Amino acid sequence: MDSFLVSGPHVVGFNTSVSSKEFIWCDADDPDTWVAASDNLAGQLEIRELQSPIRAAVPLGSRIAVYGSDQMFLVSYLANDLVFGYQPALNGVGAVSKKAVVSVGRQNYGLSEQGFFITDGQSFEYIDEPAIRTYYEETVNRAQLSKAQAYHDEENTQVRWYYPTGSTAITGGVSFNYKTNTWSILTAPWSAGDERRVTEGPLIASEDGKLYKSGTGNNAAGSALTAWVRSKPIDMDNADLVKEIDSIRIG
């Protein structure tokens, strides 16, 4: 099973050992019962129209957006004997990995084979051209994109993507500020991340198994920085271009 989500009183699993296009759900309020029977509400559906394995499943409003390599379907909780149903939604947008798409409000932000996108389930838009597309294409290791990770940094109104660049390891990425529509280049080697829930900020992890709280002022080696500063987003006259700053002087 590639991923699990909770919808209504059910746990839903996607991309099963039976079929990479299948999703299954447990009985109502019973995550131990997954085999459908006349006296329970467990079940399964195969998205036959999907032209690739299920790559990602992410909440989208009250529904679940299910992504293939170049398609998106919407799974709905029906709350009757049928329990779940699905419908085709979009062609031309997909996911490169099971963690490449995140939910922000009633929208999804994701990374597909074609680039970075935003969608509400009815339409989609690629948002990386011209600001970050060239940088991304020059640095990404496409052969390793199945390792790409994204998470929502609510405090800084950003979606952050980390992906392998010159090697098989994740060594950096990019972030998009959905309030200011600006991009930033990331240089940290985070291989996993999860949005703020019970902690003050997102939780992030490195490939060597270390866990960190995002934004605490620690570097990737785990030791405290001698000094650091945080500013509001600075567009420097053009929010559509990436800038590289050699030095910052504080008076």
Side-chain angles (χ1 to χ4, degrees):
M1 200 81 65
D2 250 8
S3 57
F4 292 91
L5 291 173
V6 175
S7 183
H10 303 271
V11 178
V12 189
F14 299 86
N15 190 335
T16 73
S17 59
V18 174
S19 170
S20 62
K21 302 179 182 181
E22 180 185 62
F23 64 96
I24 63 176
W25 57 91
C26 70
D27 189 17
D29 297 315
D30 184 5
D32 292 325
T33 301
W34 292 84
V35 178
S38 58
D39 60 348
N40 70 38
L41 291 175
Q44 61 82 29
L45 273 176
E46 184 172 4
I47 305 179
R48 299 185 182 276
E49 300 92 334
L50 192 59
Q51 297 175 5
S52 72
I54 294 173
R55 289 192 174 180
V58 182
L60 182 57
S62 61
R63 296 178 289 184
I64 299 173
V66 178
Y67 294 88
S69 61
D70 199 36
Q71 295 170 284
M72 188 244 276
F73 289 75
L74 291 174
V75 171
S76 301
Y77 175 54
L78 304 177
N80 55 34
D81 289 344
L82 296 175
V83 188
F84 287 94
Y86 73 87
Q87 65 186 73
L90 297 170
N91 290 317
V93 67
V96 297
S97 72
K98 65 180 180 180
K99 292 295 186 180
V101 185
V102 298
S103 177
V104 179
R106 300 185 65 84
Q107 295 176 313
N108 281 176
Y109 290 81
L111 173 59
S112 76
E113 297 286 356
Q114 294 76 29
F116 298 89
F117 67 88
I118 178 177
T119 181
D120 59 2
Q122 299 187 29
S123 63
F124 68 91
E125 176 186 4
Y126 284 101
I127 56 177
D128 52 357
E129 183 69 36
I132 207 75
R133 177 69 63 87
T134 300
Y135 171 82
Y136 170 72
E137 293 290 352
E138 290 177 348
T139 57
V140 66
N141 183 348
R142 284 191 168 274
Q144 298 291 321
L145 266 179
S146 62
K147 299 178 180 179
Q149 300 283 328
Y151 71 90
H152 179 205
D153 183 353
E154 180 186 4
E155 181 181 2
N156 294 301
T157 62
Q158 292 179 339
V159 177
R160 298 179 174 228
W161 289 271
Y162 292 88
Y163 50 81
T165 53
S167 67
T168 60
I170 293 177
T171 52
V174 296
S175 69
F176 179 69
N177 189 311
Y178 50 83
K179 289 293 186 183
T180 61
N181 293 326
T182 54
W183 289 89
S184 300
I185 294 173
L186 307 172
T187 57
W190 303 129
S191 61
D194 191 24
E195 68 179 352
R196 178 178 65 185
R197 299 180 194 274
V198 297
T199 57
E200 295 179 358
L203 292 176
I204 47 181
S206 56
E207 287 192 342
D208 59 0
K210 294 180 180 179
L211 190 66
Y212 303 89
K213 290 192 296 182
S214 177
T216 58
N218 288 346
N219 63 18
S223 59
L225 298 173
T226 56
W228 61 286
V229 62
R230 176 181 296 165
S231 78
K232 66 180 182 179
I234 303 173
D235 62 17
M236 297 182 182
D237 296 326
N238 191 339
D240 292 327
L241 296 178
V242 175
K243 297 90 176 174
E244 295 185 4
I245 301 175
D246 294 325
S247 64
I248 297 176
R249 297 180 182 181
I250 301 176

